């Protein structure tokens, strides 16, 4: 950091799930000037929203210092949670939505809030599958991560909790 200038990092993210729940993948591309860092991973049994959150969490974990960060995501779930102050409302209601039902993925929301605390963060929505270069790359990486998990030996029959249906 030079003086009070923070580095400006743009992070593009996406999550994918083969079935919901099912094998899932996430990806993030961090850009700082001409430098790119690509991250991806997945989980065997998860949901799309969890993968969307995980992509952003892992991207923030990769930052080494406080930055000005723009998150570019096609997930309305995440962008709206920040832009429309859903998170602060959920917290004020003890992690319950307006209809009094519990907020899903509270563990990941809390982790994300902790990670964003030292950064200046802006969330920007981009329409998915609309030709946006980085969004398309993130989508492919997330899909590839999910497929790799699906193909790595997980049963492909209709099995739920060990019971074939």
């Amino acid at each position: 950091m030079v003086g009070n200038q923070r580095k400006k990092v743009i992070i593009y993210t996406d999550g994918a799930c083969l079935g919901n729940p099912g094998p899932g993948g996430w990806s993030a591309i961090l850009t700082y000037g001409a430098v790119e860092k690509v991250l991806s991973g997945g989980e065997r049994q998860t949901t799309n929203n969890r993968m969307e959150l995980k992509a952003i969490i892992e991207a923030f974990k990769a930052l080494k210092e406080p930055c000005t960060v723009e998150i570019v995501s096609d997930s309305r779930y995440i962008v709206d949670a920040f832009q429309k102050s859903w998170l602060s409302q959920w917290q004020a209601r003890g992690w319950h939505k307006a209809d009094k039902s519990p907020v899903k993925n509270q563990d990941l929301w809390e982790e994300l809030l902790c990670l964003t605390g030292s950064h200046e963060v802006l969330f920007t929505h981009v329409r998915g599958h609309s030709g946006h270069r980085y969004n398309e790359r993130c989508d492919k990486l997330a899909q590839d991560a999910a497929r790799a998990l699906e193909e790595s030996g997980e049963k492909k029959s209709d099995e739920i909790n060990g019971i074939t249906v």
Side-chain angles (χ1 to χ4, degrees):
M1 208 164 38
V2 179
N4 289 334
Q5 291 283 6
R6 291 178 180 229
K7 291 179 179 175
K8 167 78 175 183
V9 178
I10 302 174
I11 301 172
Y12 303 89
T13 65
D14 203 5
C17 208
L18 306 177
N20 201 16
W26 59 266
S27 66
I29 301 172
L30 293 78
T31 63
Y32 173 66
V35 177
E36 284 185 6
K37 181 172 188 154
V38 178
L39 305 171
S40 68
E43 296 178 8
R44 287 194 182 283
Q45 192 67 12
T46 189
T47 65
N48 188 70
N49 283 341
R50 287 189 71 80
M51 292 295 90
E52 296 281 359
L53 283 161
K54 191 72 170 172
I56 297 172
I57 287 167
E58 294 303 323
F60 273 102
K61 286 180 179 178
L63 298 175
K64 305 294 184 213
E65 63 189 70
C67 299
T68 297
V69 179
E70 180 180 5
I71 297 290
V72 180
S73 172
D74 64 5
S75 171
R76 278 292 206 210
Y77 174 63
I78 293 181
V79 174
D80 287 351
F82 282 90
Q83 287 184 347
K84 296 182 178 182
S85 302
W86 294 351
L87 280 167
S88 59
Q89 293 169 25
W90 294 339
Q91 288 176 295
R93 290 190 294 261
W95 289 100
H96 287 83
K97 297 186 288 185
D99 67 3
K100 299 193 181 359
S101 65
V103 170
K104 292 181 181 176
N105 306 310
Q106 178 183 340
D107 59 329
L108 296 179
W109 285 115
E110 288 177 326
E111 185 176 5
L112 181 55
L113 285 171
C114 286
L115 291 167
T116 59
S118 64
H119 305 279
E120 294 174 15
V121 185
L122 168 71
F123 283 82
T124 301
H125 182 260
V126 63
R127 202 167 139 243
H129 310 287
S130 63
H132 186 282
R133 184 177 117 203
Y134 284 107
N135 182 256
E136 297 293 339
R137 279 179 65 195
C138 282
D139 179 62
K140 182 176 181 340
L141 289 164
Q143 291 285 338
D144 289 349
R147 275 192 212 90
L149 284 169
E150 182 181 55
E151 294 168 3
S152 70
E154 184 165 54
K155 293 193 180 213
K156 295 188 180 180
S157 65
D158 293 322
E159 184 171 295
I160 301 171
N161 297 328
I163 300 168
T164 303
V165 292

